[in-house]
Amino acid sequence: MLGKSENNLNLLDFGIVGEQLTISELLHSSYVRGREDFQKEVEVDFKKNIQSAAHSSSLLKSKLSEIEVHVKDMYLKVINFNTFKCLVIVDKEDFYSKDKRWKSYKVSEDINNTNSRIDLTFSFMSNSEDLMVDNVTSDGFIFKYGTEKV
């Protein structure tokens, strides 16, 4: 039988089946279950956000191809839950062509404006023999476009 302590439940018309827990124990148990559920929701949302960033980056590559800007590589970096950066490596000739560079930024801006789920920033860089992938990944760009592992 439950005592008259403030930590014990005394519910009208309800009896406790199973283990008798104090209010503190019930609160803690509810908190832990709620936190686990919340973490699962956050993980699902984060996965959707990163998929959205990857999709938008892939779309950029496709759109750049349409305006004859040749993308050599793309890397994706997670800044926080819904903020990402995409480093786009383009042919040297395309990067140094003012017209193609401005068109590239315009296309990236248009893609970014259509996605309200995430904040995705595109940066463009010229391809070079001196480009070191280790430096790119050490800056936090841990995802590389395509199936190759970084």
Side-chain angles (χ1 to χ4, degrees):
M1 181 164 174
L2 294 174
K4 296 279 183 181
S5 168
E6 287 183 22
N7 281 333
N8 291 327
L9 287 175
N10 186 10
L11 302 175
L12 182 63
D13 296 334
F14 283 87
I16 295 178
V17 178
E19 187 179 350
Q20 294 182 13
L21 301 173
T22 65
I23 295 289
S24 297
E25 291 168 329
L26 286 171
L27 181 61
H28 178 73
S29 174
S30 296
Y31 169 76
V32 169
R33 278 194 309 269
R35 188 177 72 194
E36 289 170 357
D37 291 345
F38 178 72
Q39 183 173 349
K40 288 176 187 174
E41 289 176 25
V42 168
E43 288 173 5
V44 167
D45 283 348
F46 179 69
K47 186 176 180 180
K48 287 178 184 176
N49 288 348
I50 202 160
Q51 288 288 355
S52 183
H55 176 72
S56 293
S57 299
S58 184
L59 179 61
L60 175 70
K61 184 178 188 307
S62 175
K63 294 292 184 181
L64 290 178
S65 176
E66 291 174 13
I67 61 170
E68 297 182 6
V69 172
H70 302 96
V71 175
K72 290 297 186 184
D73 271 324
M74 290 194 317
Y75 298 89
L76 199 58
K77 175 180 182 176
V78 177
I79 305 300
N80 63 36
F81 179 75
N82 63 345
T83 306
F84 304 87
K85 283 187 178 181
C86 181
L87 177 62
V88 183
I89 314 278
V90 298
D91 272 346
K92 193 178 287 189
E93 296 78 24
D94 295 337
F95 183 77
Y96 289 112
S97 164
K98 183 178 178 180
D99 184 50
K100 284 188 174 184
R101 193 171 60 247
W102 282 108
K103 284 181 181 178
S104 298
Y105 277 110
K106 176 66 176 139
V107 169
S108 71
E109 186 178 293
D110 291 344
I111 289 172
N112 210 6
N113 288 339
T114 62
N115 192 339
S116 61
R117 179 177 194 85
I118 61 168
D119 180 23
L120 176 61
T121 304
F122 293 102
S123 297
F124 293 89
M125 181 175 168
S126 170
N127 189 33
S128 167
E129 292 176 7
D130 298 329
L131 179 66
M132 297 181 67
V133 174
D134 288 344
N135 290 346
V136 172
T137 56
S138 71
D139 194 32
F141 290 93
I142 60 172
F143 299 101
K144 181 178 180 183
Y145 182 80
T147 57
E148 179 183 334
K149 286 186 178 182
V150 177

